[in-house]
């Protein structure tokens, strides 16, 4: 009896071990089933800050739209210059004078000659009416009278040429002479520029014109920011562009026109920045075709990744005529770029990362 009991104990031991093994296998299967959930990796693309690309900028230089070199039309000694370089002047303002003494004396002499010729002409006219002088004599008297009148007018003009006046409102940009200096006729004395309406000159690369065309400048907004006032954006109007590029710089020379704001000093030679604002077509965001959940007309749907809970959110965006996104996306948004057909809203996903290796 005892021997059969002892024989039964090894068999029971092996049975117990088997049951325990099966139970452990069941536990492993349960654990394995619980961890089988797989988080789908998705390829994401980040939406850039396109606001930085809304403007093309070019270094520019201010130039005068209208400028004039002023001079005396007669020779003489400068008796006075009433303005200095940089002075603002008004149209008709007297700027410089020659000593008028010689021209005044010449005018007085011509005035006397004219009066004498006029008296002789009137007397001969009465005599000619009465047939007391010949036609030839009357003609000579009339000719002398006309010559004296022309000489008098020239003397008056010469006297007026001893003064220089501003042709328009502007600024004295240069002075070439000083008081008491003897100058010749047409010798430059002063430069005056119109600083109310100014040209702004800048260079445009040939590649930029090839990409955007010249009409781009006419159809977009333009502003000028002076280096002295970086907080200021002055509206500008496109004026002209050269038809041939500079061979050394491979660029065209373009010109804008601006009106000088009040209380802002802008002079020829000052530098600044021209801003050329892109059109709405250029501002839109191009999205890969593989990223669209749905796309029709001016509307479309995309999957946006939410990094807080690692899930997908379906969003609706607005498109322009060329298919670029112009509304519904923000800078930094993470959009699923591919494989959207196998995904659903609210799905837990993770960013796909390229693994290293051979």
């Amino acid at each position: 009896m005892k021997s059969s009991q002892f024989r039964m104990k090894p068999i029971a031991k092996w049975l117990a071990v088997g049951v325990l093994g099966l139970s452990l296998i069941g536990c492993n299967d349960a654990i394995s089933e619980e961890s089988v959930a797989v988080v789908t990796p998705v390829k994401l693309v980040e939406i850039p800050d396109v606001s930085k690309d809304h403007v093309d900028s070019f270094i520019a230089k201010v130039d005068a739209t209208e400028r004039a070199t002023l001079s005396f039309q007669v020779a003489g000694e400068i008796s006075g210059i009433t303005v200095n370089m940089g002075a603002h002047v008004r149209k008709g303002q007297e700027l410089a004078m020659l000593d008028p003494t010689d021209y005044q004396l010449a005018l007085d002499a011509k005035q006397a000659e004219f009066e004498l010729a006029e008296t002789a002409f009137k007397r001969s006219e009465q005599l000619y009416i009465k047939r007391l002088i010949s036609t030839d004599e009357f003609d000579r008297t009339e000719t002398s009278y006309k010559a004296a009148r022309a000489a008098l007018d020239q003397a008056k003009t010469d006297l007026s040429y001893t003064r220089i006046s501003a042709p328009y409102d502007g600024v004295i940009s240069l002075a070439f002479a000083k008081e008491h200096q003897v100058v010749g006729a047409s010798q430059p004395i002063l430069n005056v520029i119109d600083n109310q309406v100014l040209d702004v000159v800048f260079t445009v690369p040939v590649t930029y014109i090839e990409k955007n065309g010249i009409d781009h400048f006419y159809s977009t907004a333009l502003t000028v920011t002076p280096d002295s006032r970086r907080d200021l954006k002055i509206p500008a109007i496109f004026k002209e562009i050269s038809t041939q590029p500079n061979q050394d710089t491979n660029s065209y020379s373009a010109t804008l026109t601006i009106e000088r704001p009040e209380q802002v000093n802008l002079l020829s030679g000052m530098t600044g920045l021209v801003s050329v604002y892109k059109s709405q077509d250029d501002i839109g965001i191009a999205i890969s075709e593989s990223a669209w959940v749905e796309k029709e007309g001016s509307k479309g749907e995309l999957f946006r990744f939410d990094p807080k809970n690692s899930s997908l959110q379906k969003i609706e965006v607005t498109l322009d005529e060329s298919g670029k996104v112009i509304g519904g996306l923000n800078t930094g948004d993470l959009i699923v770029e591919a494989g959207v057909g196998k995904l659903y809203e609210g799905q837990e996903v993770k960013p796909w990362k390229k693994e290293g290796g051979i």
Side-chain angles (χ1 to χ4, degrees), residues 79-254:
S79 61
I81 297 178
T82 62
V83 292
N84 297 318
M85 286 190 293
H88 291 266
V89 296
R90 294 291 183 183
K91 182 179 179 179
Q93 179 180 338
E94 193 171 88
L95 307 178
M97 298 81 67
L98 290 178
D99 183 352
T101 303
D102 292 341
Y103 295 98
Q104 185 63 56
L105 291 174
L107 175 60
D108 294 341
K110 296 302 179 182
Q111 181 68 43
E113 291 176 4
F114 170 74
E115 292 175 357
L116 181 60
E118 184 179 32
T119 301
F121 172 68
K122 289 180 178 179
R123 183 171 58 250
S124 64
E125 189 176 32
Q126 293 297 323
L127 293 174
Y128 181 69
I129 292 173
K130 296 177 181 181
R131 304 292 182 176
L132 298 176
I133 60 173
S134 65
T135 301
D136 290 342
E137 188 174 350
F138 173 74
D139 289 343
R140 286 195 296 271
T141 306
E142 184 181 24
T143 301
S144 297
Y145 165 70
K146 290 180 179 179
R149 184 172 61 185
L152 176 62
D153 290 342
Q154 184 61 55
K156 290 179 179 178
T157 300
D158 289 344
L159 182 61
S160 68
Y161 284 157
T162 61
R163 297 178 181 275
I164 293 177
S165 299
Y168 43 73
D169 295 351
V171 174
I172 302 300
S173 60
L174 289 172
F176 302 101
K178 298 180 180 180
E179 291 185 7
H180 308 299
Q181 180 178 340
V182 176
V183 295
S186 302
Q187 180 177 332
I189 305 300
L190 298 169
N191 260 16
V192 60
I193 61 173
D194 180 1
N195 74 325
Q196 188 59 42
V197 178
L198 297 165
D199 281 348
V200 179
V201 182
F202 63 103
T203 56
V204 186
V206 170
T207 53
Y208 187 88
I209 297 298
E210 290 175 347
K211 177 183 177 181
N212 299 281
I214 295 176
D215 291 341
H216 177 62
F217 292 107
Y218 290 99
S219 60
T220 189
L222 305 166
T223 62
V224 175
T225 300
D227 285 342
S228 58
R229 289 289 304 274
R230 290 303 181 95
D231 60 319
L232 191 64
K233 292 185 179 297
I234 306 172
I237 298 174
F238 184 71
K239 182 178 180 180
E240 59 188 7
I241 189 169
S242 60
T243 57
Q244 294 292 331
N246 185 301
Q247 297 299 323
D248 295 331
T249 61
N250 198 33
S251 61
Y252 294 92
S253 176

Side-chain angles (χ1 to χ4, degrees), residues 300-304 313-317 328-329 333 335 345:
E301 290 185 346
L302 299 167
F303 277 131
R304 180 168 57 195
Q313 177 187 8
K314 189 181 289 185
I315 60 170
E316 185 178 273
V317 295
L329 289 178
D333 281 351
I335 302 300
E345 187 170 18

Side-chain angles (χ1 to χ4, degrees), residues 36-42 310 347-351:
V36 77
V38 178
V39 179
T40 303
V42 292
S310 299
Q347 180 179 354
E348 184 180 358
V349 297
K350 64 180 180 180

Side-chain angles (χ1 to χ4, degrees), residues 278-314:
K278 294 184 178 180
S279 63
Q280 191 66 35
D281 291 341
D282 296 326
I283 294 174
I285 303 171
I287 300 295
S288 173
E289 288 297 325
S290 61
W292 293 104
V293 178
E294 187 176 342
K295 181 181 178 184
E296 183 176 357
S298 62
K299 299 294 182 180
E301 290 185 346
L302 299 167
F303 277 131
R304 180 168 57 195
F305 175 70
D306 186 352
K308 291 182 179 180
N309 52 27
S310 299
S311 64
L312 296 179
Q313 177 187 8
K314 189 181 289 185

